[in-house]
Amino acid sequence: MDEDRRTLPFECRRCWHVWEEEYVVRHGADAHGHEREIWLRDGVQVPPPWEGAVCPQCGCRQCTTFPEGYLSRHPELIPPAEPATPDATPLLSPVPRRLY
């Protein structure tokens, strides 16, 4: 069986979370000579990504895939590794204080 690695980007249609998952795909023939693919993730057989993707952030099953390498061409879709540091400027109310 031939084997190749694929990294596929996903997007959740509920919370818009974007992530990538790496798969190993084995190509071969079944007992009847028909071509087949076996998708593996961390050494465990899983359904193809277009059948069973689940958002790791909210658990939604309405996820879509992009072509391989899509996120490398669109880095603005990749969430930052660290949250942005909060602004230290104190907030001031535009409403004047009561005098009594």
Side-chain angles (χ1 to χ4, degrees):
M1 285 191 134
D2 293 329
E3 187 174 286
D4 64 339
R5 294 189 178 277
R6 294 188 191 170
T7 302
L8 297 175
F10 293 86
E11 181 180 54
C12 176
R13 297 218 174 172
R14 178 202 238 168
C15 69
W16 304 109
H17 177 64
V18 175
W19 76 99
E20 287 185 326
E21 292 183 4
E22 187 172 308
Y23 294 90
V24 173
V25 183
R26 292 185 181 159
H27 306 276
D30 63 9
H32 302 286
H34 301 282
E35 291 184 28
R36 67 180 278 188
E37 290 182 336
I38 299 173
W39 291 76
L40 302 168
R41 203 162 150 235
D42 298 326
V44 177
Q45 186 173 346
V46 295
W50 51 86
E51 289 182 8
V54 177
C55 176
Q57 186 164 319
C58 72
C60 181
R61 294 184 179 271
Q62 293 181 350
C63 301
T64 186
T65 61
F66 297 111
E68 277 187 78
Y70 185 84
L71 290 180
S72 64
R73 293 187 305 273
H74 297 279
E76 72 276 4
L77 295 176
I78 301 172
E82 299 176 4
T85 56
D87 187 7
T89 308
L91 298 175
L92 301 175
S93 174
V95 178
R97 288 184 137 188
R98 291 185 172 182
L99 298 175
Y100 55 93

